[in-house]
Amino acid sequence: RLRFSGKLSVKPLGSPRPLVVIQTRTRNGKHWQAVGTAIRVQPSGAYSVVYDGGRNVIGGTFSFRTVANATSLFSTAISPIRRKAVR
């Protein structure tokens, strides 16, 4: 299982609180695809997603990012791209 967590640093968050989506690059590296479903951030802006990628993820290296789509209070937010190996 993979755990993605972070904190959306937007104030005020508004009501309802924003949704975030974790994305990884496709195998050819040209596009981004969602991992699981969108989740609503906590009142503090924190979020955490656990994704069961099965045996496919073991030994792989993945690039991922978090995206929060625009609301009436802020424009689309995209995190820095991170790259991690799964052991």
Side-chain angles (χ1 to χ4, degrees):
R1 289 196 262 173
L2 304 174
R3 177 181 298 273
F4 301 95
S5 59
K7 185 172 183 178
L8 187 60
S9 299
V10 174
K11 296 206 180 193
L13 289 172
S15 180
R17 293 183 306 278
L19 295 169
V20 295
V21 177
I22 307 297
Q23 295 179 334
T24 60
R25 287 204 188 266
T26 56
R27 290 191 188 271
N28 65 14
K30 294 182 181 180
H31 304 284
W32 290 93
Q33 63 185 12
V35 174
T37 59
I39 57 162
R40 193 159 309 279
V41 299
Q42 297 173 6
S44 65
Y47 59 88
S48 182
V49 175
V50 176
Y51 176 73
D52 185 2
R55 300 185 68 145
N56 304 3
V57 300
I58 297 172
T61 300
F62 301 90
S63 295
F64 59 93
R65 67 183 186 182
T66 303
V67 176
N69 291 319
T71 70
S72 60
L73 297 175
F74 62 90
S75 58
T76 298
I78 299 174
S79 73
I81 297 169
R82 309 265 190 235
R83 188 168 174 86
K84 295 291 179 181
V86 179
R87 299 177 191 180

